[in-house]
Amino acid sequence: KAGVTQTPRYLIKTRGQQVTLSCSPISGHRSVSWYQQTPGQGLQFLFEYFSETQRNKGNFPGRFSGRQFSNSRSEMNVSTLELGDSALYLCASSFASGNQADTQYFGPGTRLTVL
Amino acid sequence: AQRVTQPEKLLSVFKGAPVELKCNYSYSGSPELFWYVQYSRQRLQLLLRHISRESIKGFTADLNKGETSFHLKKPFAQEEDSAMYYCALSRGGAGSYQLTFGKGTKLSVIP
């Protein structure tokens, strides 16, 4: 089965712009989570979507938002970009059977650079 | 709030030597603990999780609730074990898929 895919893989934006990243989960997976990875802060949880609803949210400002579509694909949006938003954004999907130990499968990430 | 600490940023061992990657956590409830690995130019992937109590690629990890630790061990390191290793915690409860990661330890196995 195809893995988690993310588009685009690389993105360069300037401060003040907004950006939308896309994630396609593994077929049959219903939960999609987003993480930000930076050298200083490491991997930090952004939010998690299940059945088009945000179930969990990390400690990020409201400029970071997301949504999930009926086919489980997810997008995340960052508005009014700041230099500090430069990071690798990872998407992960899981089957979400209700078992809290469900494995999360990660995509390759989108590398966002803000100039 | 939950926290995961991996005290070593870099760990270098010789091939054939034992490996122990340390992980300590802070959480008041009953967490789920995981080890994720990222090999060069590959995506982050699950190595093992405490609930399965399994050995993957020769690695094992035991959850010690008294010491709040989940150290990753392998008796004999191989060159292909060189990678970035992340310890992660899920706070548990149905529908909880939020992982809190440690900063990671880079394991370098010297031939």
Side-chain angles (χ1 to χ4, degrees):
Chain A
K1 143 157 41 180
V4 177
T5 57
Q6 293 186 244
T7 56
R9 293 294 310 279
Y10 302 91
L11 209 46
I12 298 175
K13 293 286 187 179
T14 56
R15 278 180 298 174
Q17 286 187 309
Q18 75 165 17
V19 67
T20 299
L21 312 182
S22 181
C23 171
S24 292
I26 291 172
S27 177
H29 283 193
R30 300 180 294 172
S31 169
V32 174
S33 299
W34 289 89
Y35 294 83
Q36 181 195 64
Q37 186 175 27
T38 59
Q41 299 300 318
L43 281 152
Q44 293 185 287
F45 174 79
L46 280 156
F47 28 64
E48 184 241 348
Y49 285 87
F50 176 81
S51 291
E52 303 177 62
T53 301
Q54 186 182 89
R55 284 201 300 193
N56 296 288
K57 189 176 192 304
N59 189 26
F60 277 82
R63 299 186 297 107
F64 291 81
S65 63
R67 59 178 176 169
Q68 186 181 34
F69 302 94
S70 57
N71 61 359
S72 293
R73 191 177 70 84
S74 177
E75 289 181 347
M76 67 163 280
N77 184 77
V78 188
S79 62
T80 321
L81 283 166
E82 300 176 0
L83 295 179
D85 297 333
S86 294
L88 181 68
Y89 290 88
L90 294 173
C91 166
S93 76
S94 62
F95 182 69
S97 64
N99 181 345
Q100 64 197 35
D102 264 3
T103 298
Q104 291 199 29
Y105 295 85
F106 283 81
T110 293
R111 172 75 62 185
L112 172 64
T113 302
V114 182
L115 302 175
Chain B
Q2 56 265 34
R3 182 182 299 171
V4 176
T5 303
Q6 293 179 250
E8 303 134 331
K9 279 190 176 180
L10 174 64
L11 182 65
S12 296
V13 301
F14 285 100
K15 179 182 173 181
V19 176
E20 183 178 44
L21 299 169
K22 290 184 167 52
C23 171
N24 288 90
Y25 67 90
S26 171
Y27 181 62
S28 56
S30 294
E32 298 286 339
L33 275 298
F34 307 82
W35 276 99
Y36 279 81
V37 61
Q38 188 166 29
Y39 301 102
S40 178
R41 297 196 184 94
Q42 294 187 28
R43 59 185 69 186
L44 195 61
Q45 58 186 287
L46 177 70
L47 179 62
L48 55 79
R49 50 193 177 183
H50 94 271
I51 198 170
S52 300
R53 304 185 67 81
E54 56 195 347
S55 172
I56 303 293
K57 298 186 179 184
F59 285 98
T60 58
D62 289 320
L63 178 61
N64 186 324
K65 292 188 178 180
E67 296 182 358
T68 58
S69 68
F70 188 57
H71 303 326
L72 183 68
K73 298 177 184 178
K74 184 170 183 177
F76 309 103
Q78 303 297 316
E79 288 180 65
E80 55 265 30
D81 296 330
S82 294
M84 195 75 186
Y85 291 80
Y86 296 93
C87 183
L89 175 156
S90 170
R91 57 187 168 88
S96 170
Y97 295 91
Q98 175 175 344
L99 289 174
T100 298
F101 284 90
K103 293 284 181 74
T105 298
K106 184 174 182 180
L107 175 64
S108 178
V109 180
I110 305 164

